[in-house]
Amino acid sequence: MESTPAPGENIAVLRKARGLGQAKLARLAGISVSYLTKIENGIRPTTPPLAAAVAKTLHVPVQRIYGQPFLGLSEQADLLNELRGAVRRYTLPREDVPDPAVLAADVDKAMRLRAETKYLELLELLPRLLGQVTATALSSSGEAGAWTQVSDVYGCAYAAAHRLAQSDLADMIVSRQVWAAQQTWNPEAEVVAAWNEAGTYQSAGQYGDGLAIVERAVSRYEQVAGADTPARALSLGSLHLRGIVLASRHKDSDATADHLRKAKRHAERIPNDVLKHNLTFGQENTALYELAAHMELGKPDKAAEMAGPLIRTPPATLTPNRLGRMYIDVARVRLETRDYAGAEQALEKAFEVAPQMAEVHPMVREVVRVLFVLHQRARPKLMEMAKKTGLSG
């Protein structure tokens, strides 16, 4: 089946190249030898925290464990190179200032494509759009709204680079977004930049540093924010959602509970989830983060209990980006609880609502890979998903 080495295979190769036995690597990474053996043999998925712990021990990037990036189409690689060039020229846009109404429509389109996980279409739009919003902002004599548009478009670019496993490009984009947000005098724009900055630490497995970014952003925002408005709830609540992920992957149950409690409190102000400046927040999205945190903290039964109602009645106000991630997390929950048919069904839903995300998401690949190892090869839908993710030809 394999067209690329499995993460477990990569771990075994790197471990042997460094002269480490399984017992020593397991001890250094804080896991059991039997768990490491199952990872290397492909019968347990390599989760983000596990990949981060092993990568740190082996002194390699997390992406080296997963074998990313999974570029696939040459068209995709070409589009990423164009985006990289546009980001590099962040103070030297080649584009002219367009009509404001046309520009606003294109910015809205980019944010919609991001929410719908249509990354290839987004990549086609971004290089030109980045140049146009930047040219507009540079000619606006510091007008805050123009710079907010720049920040929003960089947020879309970050989503594409992150999801396509371009960690160096994602880091560069975030630095540009922070720069743009600082020109806005808009605290909400700075929150979005901090959200993505913490995301770069999350991708690198540096969860403690990511939490520090979140905590600093919360403190700064609380110092300048006004009354208890929905906008304030969205900004602070979104930061706490990022904190839930980072703390749970850091295996800090107290910090996870604290961020979850605060996120729920802010979500009471927003009963129907809203999407603004590329941040989604409300009670439904908060529930998805809680489900994922249970998995990271080793509580799959509790996660499965939450997953049932979510699957029976999928959140109606969430975008494909969030729904796709929900189904991926549910597939992981069901795999852990040995509901293999249910895991496959959840993956099918992920491909249905967010196909471009599902094709490149590392946990989709891991769940599909483990299902194959567990002798599910005869299932045609599983074979189809394996082909879409590049696991079979």
Side-chain angles (χ1 to χ4, degrees):
M1 178 188 75
E2 303 293 344
S3 61
T4 58
E9 293 178 76
N10 290 332
I11 291 171
V13 169
L14 291 166
R15 172 177 62 78
K16 294 171 183 176
R18 284 157 176 73
L20 294 177
Q22 282 188 326
K24 185 170 184 179
L25 177 59
R27 177 173 56 81
L28 292 173
I31 59 177
S32 69
V33 175
S34 62
Y35 186 23
L36 178 60
T37 300
K38 291 175 181 176
I39 292 291
E40 292 190 354
N41 290 338
I43 59 175
R44 291 291 299 274
T46 305
T47 64
L50 186 281
V54 172
K56 181 178 180 181
T57 301
L58 295 174
H59 306 289
V60 297
V62 172
Q63 289 76 16
R64 179 65 181 84
I65 301 298
Y66 283 121
Q68 295 170 318
F70 313 123
L71 286 180
L73 298 174
S74 60
E75 175 194 6
Q76 184 172 304
D78 291 342
L79 292 172
L80 283 166
N81 286 334
E82 290 180 22
L83 176 59
R84 195 180 301 273
V87 173
R88 187 178 296 114
R89 298 190 306 272
Y90 73 110
T91 60
L92 298 170
R94 295 174 177 172
E95 290 74 14
D96 295 328
V97 175
D99 177 86
V102 173
L103 183 63
D106 281 346
V107 172
D108 287 343
K109 179 181 179 181
M111 291 194 288
R112 185 178 70 254
L113 290 172
R114 172 202 167 275
E116 294 173 352
T117 72
K118 295 181 179 178
Y119 301 121
L120 288 178
E121 295 92 327
L122 179 58
L123 285 174
E124 291 174 350
L125 176 63
L126 281 172
R128 174 183 58 80
L129 185 57
L130 273 175
Q132 289 179 332
V133 292
T134 304
T136 299
L138 290 173
S139 65
S140 70
S141 300
E143 200 276 313
W147 284 105
T148 299
Q149 283 188 319
V150 178
S151 178
D152 284 343
V153 176
Y154 272 117
C156 295
Y158 168 78
H162 162 70
R163 189 50 63 205
L164 297 173
Q166 302 292 303
S167 58
D168 61 329
L169 177 56
D171 286 347
M172 184 163 60
I173 287 169
V174 166
S175 70
R176 305 300 194 246
Q177 187 179 22
V178 170
W179 162 75
Q182 289 171 346
Q183 318 302 314
T184 66
W185 301 95
N186 179 357
E188 280 74 33
E190 295 197 28
V191 163
V192 178
W195 159 274
N196 287 333
E197 184 179 6
T200 64
Y201 287 96
Q202 179 179 312
S203 298
Q206 297 170 349
Y207 305 128
D209 290 339
L211 281 169
I213 296 295
V214 168
E215 291 162 4
R216 184 178 68 189
V218 167
S219 177
R220 286 181 176 177
Y221 185 82
E222 288 180 335
Q223 291 173 12
V224 300
D228 185 15
T229 63
R232 184 179 189 274
L234 184 147
S235 294
L236 290 174
S238 295
L239 287 171
H240 287 301
L241 291 186
R242 179 69 85 185
I244 291 168
V245 178
L246 291 160
S248 61
R249 292 188 180 183
H250 202 43
K251 308 304 180 187
D252 187 335
S253 57
D254 290 339
T256 302
D258 183 56
H259 282 293
L260 179 59
R261 176 179 57 81
K262 291 174 179 175
K264 286 183 174 180
R265 188 186 71 219
H266 290 299
E268 292 174 357
R269 298 278 295 155
I270 309 176
N272 296 317
D273 289 58
V274 296
L275 172 62
K276 187 175 182 181
H277 299 305
N278 293 315
L279 295 180
T280 301
F281 186 67
Q283 294 180 11
E284 292 183 333
N285 200 29
T286 300
L288 304 193
Y289 278 79
E290 182 177 4
L291 181 152
H294 287 318
M295 277 299 297
E296 302 297 2
L297 292 173
K299 301 175 182 178
D301 291 337
K302 200 163 186 177
E305 183 181 335
M306 283 194 70
L310 290 170
I311 290 294
R312 286 192 295 272
T313 308
T317 62
L318 295 183
T319 62
N321 175 54
R322 294 307 308 147
L323 282 176
R325 184 55 198 261
M326 180 191 78
Y327 286 119
I328 293 168
D329 285 337
V330 170
R332 181 181 166 192
V333 169
R334 289 176 168 176
L335 179 67
E336 187 69 18
T337 56
R338 300 186 179 182
D339 178 5
Y340 303 135
E344 183 179 336
Q345 290 168 1
L347 287 183
E348 289 175 27
K349 293 296 294 184
F351 275 98
E352 179 182 320
V353 301
Q356 291 186 28
M357 173 192 284
E359 287 175 7
V360 298
H361 199 287
M363 284 312 302
V364 172
R365 295 167 63 88
E366 281 299 274
V367 173
V368 170
R369 194 191 309 274
V370 172
L371 290 175
F372 259 88
V373 173
L374 295 173
H375 309 293
Q376 303 290 312
R377 293 178 178 81
R379 303 179 71 89
K381 290 184 178 179
L382 187 62
M383 176 62 76
E384 181 181 349
M385 288 187 284
K387 290 180 179 178
K388 288 179 179 178
T389 57
L391 291 174
S392 66

